[in-house]
Amino acid sequence: MAETRHLQWQADVIIGAPLEKTWAVFDDLSLIPRYHPVVRKVELPSGMSRRAPGVEYKCIVPTGSRRGWCVEKVIDHVPLRSSTVAFTDDSWGLSKLVSDFVTEVSVERSGEATTRVVLRGFYTPKGWWGAILNALVIRRNMRTRAADTLQGAKQLLESTPSSEGQPTEPGAAADGGRIT
C-alpha cells in the first residue's frame, strides 16, 4: 500500500520523553483533545480507546471556522512503531476534494529519553479543482495543523509528570496545583 500512496505533507518533532511514554499518548485515543489544537471531544463508538486495526473514532471540533467532525479508522498498527488511520467521513467536504486520505504517525527512539515523532499525510487530489485547492491551501493548512498537533503532544509529554508518571495538564503541578 505504501508504494501507491501520494505523500502530501510531513511534520516531525523531537519530544523529551521516552519512546514508551510517547507512544502511550498517541495510542490512547481519549487523549487527542489534550494535544490536538482544535479537537475537543473524541467519540468511541466501539468503546475501545486504544488504537488497533479496525478501531473507528470520531473527532469533534465544536467551535471556530473548522467546526464539524471527522471519522477515522485505524487500518495499520504496529505497537511502539507506527499507526495509520484512514479518514472515512467528515462534515467539511474534504472527501469531495481528496481521495484515499490516510495519516501515519511513527515514533522512533532518538536518545535515551527522547523520541522523534513523524506525522505524514497521504492522499490524491480529486479533479482539477481539488488539485488547485491542494496546491494553494489544503496541503499547507494540513501540514500546519499536523505541526501544531505534534507541538501539543510535545507540550503534554514534557509537562510536569503526575505521581503516577503520566502527563498532567501543561502548567499543573503533580499535587494538582499550578506551576507559576
Side-chain angles (χ1 to χ4, degrees):
M1 183 173 171
E3 298 79 39
T4 61
R5 290 195 242 167
H6 300 281
L7 178 65
Q8 296 291 333
W9 49 262
Q10 175 176 310
D12 62 275
V13 68
I14 301 294
I15 295 178
L19 183 132
E20 294 79 8
K21 183 176 177 181
T22 301
W23 180 259
V25 166
F26 285 101
D27 195 43
D28 187 343
L29 300 170
S30 69
L31 293 178
I32 292 171
R34 293 197 46 203
Y35 61 82
H36 195 285
V38 296
V39 173
R40 294 295 163 257
K41 182 179 178 186
V42 174
E43 294 178 359
L44 305 167
S46 67
M48 296 178 61
S49 66
R50 297 276 179 202
R51 293 180 193 266
V55 171
E56 281 190 314
Y57 54 98
K58 185 176 187 177
C59 294
I60 310 292
V61 179
T63 61
S65 62
R66 299 292 304 162
R67 180 176 50 215
W69 53 266
C70 67
V71 177
E72 302 177 9
K73 181 178 183 176
V74 179
I75 57 173
D76 189 36
H77 187 74
V78 181
L80 297 171
R81 186 166 170 217
S82 67
S83 190
T84 304
V85 299
F87 287 73
T88 60
D89 199 8
D90 70 274
S91 65
W92 302 298
L94 187 59
S95 57
K96 295 176 184 172
L97 298 171
V98 302
S99 62
D100 305 318
F101 183 22
V102 299
T103 60
E104 175 190 76
V105 62
S106 62
V107 296
E108 64 184 45
R109 200 174 311 278
S110 69
E112 193 172 307
T114 59
T115 304
R116 179 174 185 241
V117 181
V118 180
L119 184 55
R120 295 178 183 92
F122 303 87
Y123 57 86
T124 303
K126 288 184 178 179
W128 63 270
W129 185 239
I132 290 171
L133 286 177
N134 187 53
L136 296 175
V137 179
I138 298 171
R139 181 184 296 132
R140 181 178 51 235
N141 285 349
M142 286 188 181
R143 184 183 311 119
T144 299
R145 182 68 46 85
D148 291 347
T149 299
L150 291 180
Q151 284 301 314
K154 178 180 175 70
Q155 184 178 9
L156 176 64
L157 280 155
E158 292 178 355
S159 64
T160 306
S162 70
S163 58
E164 296 84 37
Q166 295 299 314
T168 60
E169 290 293 332
D175 64 1
R178 301 295 296 169
I179 298 171
T180 55

